[in-house]
């Protein structure tokens, strides 16, 4: 098995690559620059394994969620329709 492990080494995950990149910094300024590089997506193409047994967080409806937008759109359409009907009755 070690022959195949040497022949086909496992690639670094995104978190491993980021940590190695940060550990290579030589000063605080260099560390800050590297943190900014990571925030900009320097390692975005790297594979990150999904946690196998992690529980899903409870979903909250935020102000920008689809259900919130749909309900606001429906209320807006109702208001426009009622305004149109009130103007056409005059």
């Amino acid at each position: 098995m070690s022959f195949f492990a040497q022949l086909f080494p496992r690639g670094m995950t995104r978190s491993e690559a980021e940590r190695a990149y940060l550990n290579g910094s030589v000063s605080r300024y260099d560390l800050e620059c590297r943190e900014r590089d990571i925030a900009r997506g320097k390692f975005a193409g790297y594979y990150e394994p999904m946690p196998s047994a992690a529980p899903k967080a409870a979903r909250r409806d935020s102000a920008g969620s689809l259900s919130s937008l749909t309900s606001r759109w429906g209320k807006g359409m109702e208001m426009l329709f009622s305004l149109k009907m009130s103007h056409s009755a005059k």
Side-chain angles (χ1 to χ4, degrees), residues 1-11:
M1 185 68 180
S2 64
F3 172 72
F4 287 112
Q6 289 177 350
L7 192 57
F8 302 108
R10 182 180 65 87

Side-chain angles (χ1 to χ4, degrees), residues 60-79:
R60 293 182 358 188
D61 282 341
S62 63
S65 70
L66 183 60
S67 61
S68 174
L69 292 174
T70 305
S71 67
R72 285 189 286 166
W73 184 80
K75 290 176 185 174
M77 292 304 291
E78 287 176 15
M79 185 176 74

